[in-house]
Amino acid sequence: ETSSDEGAASIVGLRNLQIVNGGQTTASLFSTAKKDHADLNHIFVQMKLSVVSPERAMEMVPNISRYANTQNRVNAADFFANHPFHIRMEEISRRLWAPSPDSSYHESKWFYERARGQYLDAKAHLTTAQKKKFERDFPRSQCFTKTDLAKFENVWEFIPHIVSKGAQYNFADYAGRIGQRWEKNQNEFNEMYFRHVVAKAIIFRKLEKIVIDQSWYNGGYRANIVAYTLSKLADLLRERGRVMDFDDVWKRQDLSPALRETLIATSAAVHEVIVNPDAGIQNVTEWAKKQACWQRVQALTVTLPAAFFEEMLDPSEEKTIQRAAQQVQKIDNGIDAQKKVLELGAAFWRASLEWDSSHRALT
Protein backbone atom coordinates (compact mmCIF):
# COMPACT_ATOMS: atom_id res chain seq x y z
CA GLU A 1 0.00 0.00 0.00
CA THR A 2 1.39 3.40 -0.95
CA SER A 3 0.65 7.04 -0.29
CA SER A 4 1.71 10.12 -2.24
CA ASP A 5 3.59 12.89 -0.47
CA GLU A 6 4.39 15.91 -2.68
CA GLY A 7 4.43 13.72 -5.77
CA ALA A 8 6.69 11.03 -4.25
CA ALA A 9 5.21 7.61 -3.54
CA SER A 10 5.90 6.12 -0.12
CA ILE A 11 5.20 2.54 1.00
CA VAL A 12 2.94 2.53 4.05
CA GLY A 13 2.00 -1.15 4.18
CA LEU A 14 3.22 -4.60 3.04
CA ARG A 15 1.55 -8.00 3.10
CA ASN A 16 3.20 -11.44 2.72
CA LEU A 17 6.72 -10.01 2.62
CA GLN A 18 9.42 -12.57 1.75
CA ILE A 19 13.16 -11.96 1.89
CA VAL A 20 14.88 -13.56 -1.10
CA ASN A 21 18.41 -12.29 -0.49
CA GLY A 22 19.38 -10.50 2.71
CA GLY A 23 18.34 -12.98 5.39
CA GLN A 24 21.71 -12.66 7.15
CA THR A 25 21.55 -8.85 7.07
CA THR A 26 18.04 -8.88 8.51
CA ALA A 27 19.02 -11.38 11.21
CA SER A 28 22.04 -9.26 12.18
CA LEU A 29 19.91 -6.12 12.47
CA PHE A 30 17.33 -7.97 14.55
CA SER A 31 20.01 -9.42 16.81
CA THR A 32 21.77 -6.13 17.45
CA ALA A 33 18.44 -4.45 18.24
CA LYS A 34 17.29 -7.28 20.48
CA LYS A 35 20.51 -8.21 22.29
CA ASP A 36 22.53 -5.00 22.13
CA HIS A 37 19.55 -2.62 22.26
CA ALA A 38 21.05 -0.68 19.36
CA ASP A 39 19.11 2.25 17.92
CA LEU A 40 18.17 1.37 14.32
CA ASN A 41 16.20 4.56 13.59
CA HIS A 42 18.88 5.88 11.26
CA ILE A 43 19.83 2.56 9.66
CA PHE A 44 18.81 2.15 6.01
CA VAL A 45 19.21 -0.95 3.82
CA GLN A 46 18.92 -0.66 0.06
CA MET A 47 16.61 -3.25 -1.49
CA LYS A 48 14.72 -4.16 -4.64
CA LEU A 49 11.02 -4.78 -4.11
CA SER A 50 9.12 -7.10 -6.46
CA VAL A 51 5.35 -6.81 -6.12
CA VAL A 52 3.69 -10.07 -7.22
CA SER A 53 -0.04 -10.60 -7.62
CA PRO A 54 -1.52 -13.56 -5.72
CA GLU A 55 -2.49 -15.18 -9.03
CA ARG A 56 1.15 -15.36 -10.16
CA ALA A 57 2.85 -15.91 -6.80
CA MET A 58 3.32 -19.68 -7.23
CA GLU A 59 4.95 -19.11 -10.63
CA MET A 60 7.00 -15.99 -9.88
CA VAL A 61 8.35 -16.39 -6.33
CA PRO A 62 10.43 -19.55 -7.02
CA ASN A 63 11.91 -17.91 -10.13
CA ILE A 64 12.83 -14.75 -8.21
CA SER A 65 14.68 -17.01 -5.74
CA ARG A 66 16.34 -18.96 -8.53
CA TYR A 67 17.68 -15.99 -10.51
CA ALA A 68 18.34 -13.44 -7.75
CA ASN A 69 20.42 -15.72 -5.53
CA THR A 70 23.96 -15.72 -6.90
CA GLN A 71 25.90 -15.51 -3.62
CA ASN A 72 24.89 -18.89 -2.22
CA ARG A 73 24.02 -22.12 -3.98
CA VAL A 74 20.30 -22.81 -3.67
CA ASN A 75 19.07 -26.34 -4.25
CA ALA A 76 16.43 -26.95 -6.91
CA ALA A 77 14.29 -28.67 -4.29
CA ASP A 78 13.98 -25.43 -2.32
CA PHE A 79 12.17 -23.73 -5.20
CA PHE A 80 9.33 -26.26 -5.11
CA ALA A 81 8.67 -26.01 -1.35
CA ASN A 82 5.61 -23.77 -1.62
CA HIS A 83 3.79 -25.85 -4.21
CA PRO A 84 0.31 -26.90 -2.94
CA PHE A 85 1.36 -30.56 -3.23
CA HIS A 86 4.03 -30.10 -0.55
CA ILE A 87 1.73 -28.03 1.64
CA ARG A 88 -0.84 -30.84 1.54
CA MET A 89 1.77 -33.50 2.35
CA GLU A 90 2.99 -31.39 5.27
CA GLU A 91 -0.56 -30.92 6.58
CA ILE A 92 -1.31 -34.66 6.42
CA SER A 93 1.99 -35.52 8.11
CA ARG A 94 1.22 -33.30 11.10
CA ARG A 95 -2.15 -34.90 11.84
CA LEU A 96 -1.99 -38.54 10.64
CA TRP A 97 -1.04 -41.05 13.34
CA ALA A 98 0.86 -44.15 12.27
CA PRO A 99 0.12 -47.53 13.90
CA SER A 100 2.45 -48.62 16.67
CA PRO A 101 4.84 -51.30 15.33
CA ASP A 102 5.15 -53.01 18.72
CA SER A 103 1.40 -52.96 19.54
CA SER A 104 1.96 -50.47 22.35
CA TYR A 105 -0.57 -47.77 23.09
CA HIS A 106 1.67 -44.94 21.88
CA GLU A 107 1.32 -44.11 18.21
CA SER A 108 3.60 -41.69 16.38
CA LYS A 109 3.69 -39.57 13.23
CA TRP A 110 5.97 -39.22 10.22
CA PHE A 111 7.31 -35.66 9.93
CA TYR A 112 7.44 -34.35 6.36
CA GLU A 113 10.02 -31.59 6.09
CA ARG A 114 8.61 -29.35 3.35
CA ALA A 115 11.32 -26.72 3.92
CA ARG A 116 14.87 -27.31 5.11
CA GLY A 117 15.33 -27.27 8.86
CA GLN A 118 11.62 -27.49 9.76
CA TYR A 119 12.12 -30.40 12.15
CA LEU A 120 14.76 -28.58 14.22
CA ASP A 121 12.83 -25.31 14.02
CA ALA A 122 9.72 -27.02 15.38
CA LYS A 123 11.68 -28.01 18.52
CA ALA A 124 13.73 -24.84 18.91
CA HIS A 125 11.51 -22.91 21.32
CA LEU A 126 9.94 -25.79 23.24
CA THR A 127 10.46 -26.52 26.93
CA THR A 128 12.29 -29.73 27.88
CA ALA A 129 8.98 -31.48 28.57
CA GLN A 130 7.50 -30.26 25.30
CA LYS A 131 10.58 -31.44 23.38
CA LYS A 132 10.24 -34.92 24.86
CA LYS A 133 6.60 -35.06 23.82
CA PHE A 134 7.45 -33.75 20.34
CA GLU A 135 10.19 -36.38 19.89
CA ARG A 136 7.79 -39.06 21.12
CA ASP A 137 5.15 -37.96 18.61
CA PHE A 138 7.66 -37.27 15.80
CA PRO A 139 10.71 -39.54 16.23
CA ARG A 140 13.81 -38.26 14.40
CA SER A 141 13.95 -41.57 12.50
CA GLN A 142 10.51 -40.77 11.05
CA CYS A 143 11.48 -37.44 9.50
CA PHE A 144 11.91 -37.25 5.72
CA THR A 145 12.57 -34.43 3.27
CA LYS A 146 11.37 -33.49 -0.23
CA THR A 147 14.39 -35.10 -1.84
CA ASP A 148 13.84 -38.24 0.26
CA LEU A 149 10.24 -38.37 -0.94
CA ALA A 150 11.36 -38.05 -4.57
CA LYS A 151 13.79 -40.92 -4.07
CA PHE A 152 11.24 -43.17 -2.33
CA GLU A 153 8.75 -42.54 -5.15
CA ASN A 154 11.00 -42.72 -8.21
CA VAL A 155 12.48 -46.13 -7.44
CA TRP A 156 8.96 -47.55 -7.92
CA GLU A 157 8.65 -45.73 -11.27
CA PHE A 158 11.25 -47.99 -12.95
CA ILE A 159 13.91 -45.24 -13.22
CA PRO A 160 16.72 -46.26 -10.80
CA HIS A 161 19.28 -44.78 -13.22
CA ILE A 162 17.62 -41.36 -12.71
CA VAL A 163 17.62 -41.82 -8.91
CA SER A 164 21.34 -42.69 -9.12
CA LYS A 165 22.12 -39.32 -10.71
CA GLY A 166 21.79 -37.60 -7.33
CA ALA A 167 19.21 -35.97 -5.09
CA GLN A 168 18.79 -32.69 -7.01
CA TYR A 169 18.61 -34.25 -10.48
CA ASN A 170 16.17 -36.89 -9.25
CA PHE A 171 14.05 -34.28 -7.49
CA ALA A 172 13.81 -32.15 -10.64
CA ASP A 173 12.51 -35.19 -12.54
CA TYR A 174 10.00 -35.98 -9.81
CA ALA A 175 8.83 -32.37 -9.38
CA GLY A 176 8.06 -32.04 -13.08
CA ARG A 177 5.87 -35.14 -13.13
CA ILE A 178 4.13 -34.31 -9.84
CA GLY A 179 3.35 -30.80 -11.08
CA GLN A 180 1.62 -32.24 -14.15
CA ARG A 181 -0.29 -34.83 -12.11
CA TRP A 182 -1.39 -32.15 -9.62
CA GLU A 183 -2.81 -30.03 -12.44
CA LYS A 184 -4.65 -33.05 -13.80
CA ASN A 185 -6.12 -34.36 -10.52
CA GLN A 186 -5.29 -32.81 -7.12
CA ASN A 187 -7.43 -35.38 -5.30
CA GLU A 188 -4.94 -38.09 -6.23
CA PHE A 189 -2.73 -36.73 -3.45
CA ASN A 190 -4.52 -37.72 -0.29
CA GLU A 191 -4.07 -39.67 2.94
CA MET A 192 -3.67 -42.94 1.05
CA TYR A 193 -0.94 -41.39 -1.09
CA PHE A 194 0.85 -40.21 2.05
CA ARG A 195 0.51 -43.64 3.73
CA HIS A 196 2.01 -45.26 0.65
CA VAL A 197 4.90 -42.77 0.61
CA VAL A 198 5.63 -43.69 4.23
CA ALA A 199 5.42 -47.41 3.36
CA LYS A 200 7.96 -46.82 0.58
CA ALA A 201 10.18 -44.96 3.08
CA ILE A 202 9.99 -47.94 5.47
CA ILE A 203 10.90 -50.42 2.71
CA PHE A 204 13.74 -48.20 1.45
CA ARG A 205 15.31 -47.66 4.87
CA LYS A 206 14.90 -51.27 5.97
CA LEU A 207 16.57 -52.41 2.74
CA GLU A 208 19.52 -50.09 3.41
CA LYS A 209 20.10 -51.99 6.66
CA ILE A 210 19.52 -55.38 5.01
CA VAL A 211 22.18 -54.68 2.36
CA ILE A 212 24.80 -53.79 4.99
CA ASP A 213 24.21 -57.12 6.76
CA GLN A 214 24.73 -59.30 3.67
CA SER A 215 27.92 -61.39 3.36
CA TRP A 216 28.40 -60.26 -0.26
CA TYR A 217 28.41 -56.56 0.64
CA ASN A 218 31.94 -55.14 0.71
CA GLY A 219 31.00 -51.49 1.27
CA GLY A 220 30.12 -48.82 -1.28
CA TYR A 221 27.33 -48.39 -3.84
CA ARG A 222 24.61 -49.12 -1.28
CA ALA A 223 22.40 -46.31 -2.61
CA ASN A 224 22.58 -47.76 -6.12
CA ILE A 225 21.92 -51.31 -4.95
CA VAL A 226 18.86 -50.19 -2.96
CA ALA A 227 17.43 -48.11 -5.83
CA TYR A 228 17.88 -50.87 -8.42
CA THR A 229 16.58 -53.58 -6.09
CA LEU A 230 13.29 -51.76 -5.51
CA SER A 231 12.87 -50.89 -9.20
CA LYS A 232 13.53 -54.55 -10.07
CA LEU A 233 10.95 -55.64 -7.50
CA ALA A 234 8.40 -53.23 -8.98
CA ASP A 235 9.21 -54.61 -12.44
CA LEU A 236 8.75 -58.23 -11.30
CA LEU A 237 5.36 -57.33 -9.81
CA ARG A 238 4.35 -55.62 -13.05
CA GLU A 239 5.26 -58.77 -15.01
CA ARG A 240 3.08 -60.87 -12.70
CA GLY A 241 0.17 -58.43 -12.87
CA ARG A 242 0.40 -57.61 -9.15
CA VAL A 243 1.05 -54.48 -7.09
CA MET A 244 2.72 -53.97 -3.72
CA ASP A 245 0.37 -53.90 -0.74
CA PHE A 246 1.71 -50.67 0.74
CA ASP A 247 -1.16 -50.47 3.23
CA ASP A 248 0.08 -53.71 4.81
CA VAL A 249 3.54 -52.16 5.27
CA TRP A 250 1.92 -49.03 6.75
CA LYS A 251 -0.09 -51.12 9.24
CA ARG A 252 2.96 -53.14 10.26
CA GLN A 253 5.35 -50.17 10.13
CA ASP A 254 7.74 -52.93 9.16
CA LEU A 255 8.41 -55.60 6.52
CA SER A 256 6.63 -58.93 6.43
CA PRO A 257 8.96 -61.99 6.57
CA ALA A 258 8.16 -62.79 2.92
CA LEU A 259 8.98 -59.23 1.78
CA ARG A 260 12.24 -59.29 3.74
CA GLU A 261 13.23 -62.61 2.12
CA THR A 262 12.34 -61.19 -1.30
CA LEU A 263 14.49 -58.10 -0.79
CA ILE A 264 17.47 -60.21 0.28
CA ALA A 265 17.24 -62.43 -2.84
CA THR A 266 16.69 -59.52 -5.23
CA SER A 267 19.44 -57.31 -3.82
CA ALA A 268 22.00 -60.16 -4.13
CA ALA A 269 21.24 -60.53 -7.85
CA VAL A 270 21.22 -56.77 -8.44
CA HIS A 271 24.55 -56.33 -6.65
CA GLU A 272 26.30 -58.51 -9.27
CA VAL A 273 25.15 -56.23 -12.11
CA ILE A 274 25.99 -53.00 -10.26
CA VAL A 275 29.60 -53.97 -9.47
CA ASN A 276 30.29 -55.48 -12.91
CA PRO A 277 29.84 -52.66 -15.46
CA ASP A 278 29.74 -53.12 -19.22
CA ALA A 279 33.06 -53.21 -21.05
CA GLY A 280 34.69 -49.81 -21.31
CA ILE A 281 33.10 -48.45 -18.13
CA GLN A 282 35.39 -48.37 -15.10
CA ASN A 283 33.43 -46.19 -12.70
CA VAL A 284 30.61 -48.10 -10.96
CA THR A 285 28.83 -44.91 -9.89
CA GLU A 286 28.72 -43.67 -13.51
CA TRP A 287 27.59 -47.11 -14.66
CA ALA A 288 24.61 -46.95 -12.28
CA LYS A 289 23.49 -43.70 -13.95
CA LYS A 290 23.08 -45.34 -17.36
CA GLN A 291 19.93 -46.85 -18.79
CA ALA A 292 22.05 -49.80 -19.97
CA CYS A 293 22.58 -50.73 -16.32
CA TRP A 294 18.82 -50.74 -15.74
CA GLN A 295 18.27 -52.84 -18.87
CA ARG A 296 20.69 -55.47 -17.55
CA VAL A 297 18.96 -55.51 -14.17
CA GLN A 298 15.57 -55.84 -15.88
CA ALA A 299 16.85 -58.89 -17.77
CA LEU A 300 17.85 -60.66 -14.53
CA THR A 301 15.98 -63.83 -13.57
CA VAL A 302 15.18 -63.78 -9.86
CA THR A 303 13.18 -66.53 -8.16
CA LEU A 304 11.00 -65.11 -5.41
CA PRO A 305 9.07 -66.93 -2.67
CA ALA A 306 5.44 -67.80 -3.47
CA ALA A 307 4.40 -66.32 -0.11
CA PHE A 308 5.52 -62.91 -1.32
CA PHE A 309 3.21 -62.88 -4.36
CA GLU A 310 0.33 -64.15 -2.21
CA GLU A 311 0.64 -60.97 -0.10
CA MET A 312 0.43 -58.70 -3.13
CA LEU A 313 -2.71 -57.02 -4.53
CA ASP A 314 -4.52 -57.27 -7.83
CA PRO A 315 -4.36 -53.88 -9.66
CA SER A 316 -8.17 -53.70 -9.67
CA GLU A 317 -8.17 -53.85 -5.84
CA GLU A 318 -5.65 -51.02 -5.77
CA LYS A 319 -7.78 -48.87 -8.10
CA THR A 320 -10.86 -49.40 -5.92
CA ILE A 321 -8.91 -48.23 -2.85
CA GLN A 322 -7.55 -45.21 -4.78
CA ARG A 323 -11.03 -44.14 -5.93
CA ALA A 324 -12.33 -44.30 -2.35
CA ALA A 325 -9.36 -42.24 -1.12
CA GLN A 326 -9.98 -39.59 -3.79
CA GLN A 327 -13.63 -39.30 -2.76
CA VAL A 328 -12.53 -38.72 0.85
CA GLN A 329 -10.10 -36.03 -0.36
CA LYS A 330 -12.95 -34.27 -2.19
CA ILE A 331 -14.90 -34.17 1.08
CA ASP A 332 -11.80 -32.89 2.91
CA ASN A 333 -11.42 -30.13 0.29
CA GLY A 334 -14.99 -29.03 0.95
CA ILE A 335 -14.42 -28.99 4.70
CA ASP A 336 -11.23 -26.95 4.19
CA ALA A 337 -13.17 -24.43 2.09
CA GLN A 338 -15.85 -24.07 4.78
CA LYS A 339 -13.13 -23.69 7.42
CA LYS A 340 -11.51 -20.92 5.35
CA VAL A 341 -14.86 -19.08 5.11
CA LEU A 342 -15.18 -19.13 8.90
CA GLU A 343 -11.54 -18.18 9.51
CA LEU A 344 -11.88 -15.08 7.29
CA GLY A 345 -14.56 -13.89 9.71
CA ALA A 346 -17.72 -11.81 9.54
CA ALA A 347 -15.84 -8.51 9.09
CA PHE A 348 -14.21 -9.77 5.88
CA TRP A 349 -17.50 -10.84 4.35
CA ARG A 350 -19.23 -7.64 5.46
CA ALA A 351 -16.47 -5.62 3.77
CA SER A 352 -16.85 -7.76 0.64
CA LEU A 353 -20.57 -7.03 0.58
CA GLU A 354 -19.95 -3.30 1.01
CA TRP A 355 -17.32 -3.35 -1.77
CA ASP A 356 -19.77 -5.05 -4.12
CA SER A 357 -22.50 -2.50 -3.45
CA SER A 358 -20.53 -0.08 -5.63
CA HIS A 359 -18.76 -2.55 -7.97
CA ARG A 360 -21.65 -4.94 -8.72
CA ALA A 361 -19.15 -7.70 -9.59
CA LEU A 362 -20.39 -10.58 -7.42
CA THR A 363 -23.31 -12.91 -8.05
Side-chain angles (χ1 to χ4, degrees), residues 76-134:
D78 295 329
F79 298 125
F80 198 52
N82 292 324
H83 191 280
F85 163 80
H86 289 291
I87 293 170
R88 181 174 292 176
M89 292 298 102
E90 177 188 44
E91 183 273 324
I92 294 173
S93 83
R94 302 303 191 267
R95 63 173 168 79
L96 187 63
W97 292 95
S100 172
D102 58 3
S103 301
S104 66
Y105 289 109
H106 189 78
E107 296 177 330
S108 59
K109 300 174 186 176
W110 284 73
F111 190 100
Y112 179 56
E113 200 171 69
R114 176 173 65 86
R116 277 189 294 176
Q118 271 187 319
Y119 184 85
L120 293 176
D121 287 346
K123 294 195 301 179
H125 303 293
L126 300 179
T127 64
T128 302
Q130 288 171 333
K131 280 182 182 176
K132 285 182 180 178
K133 183 182 184 306
F134 179 87

Side-chain angles (χ1 to χ4, degrees), residues 20 42 48 129 132 146 162 176 205 208 216 249 251 288 304 306 313 320 322 352:
V20 176
H42 302 291
K48 180 176 77 174
K132 285 182 180 178
K146 296 187 298 300
I162 299 296
R205 290 175 174 177
E208 286 180 321
W216 45 259
V249 178
K251 289 169 188 172
L304 302 181
L313 296 176
T320 300
Q322 286 176 346
S352 300

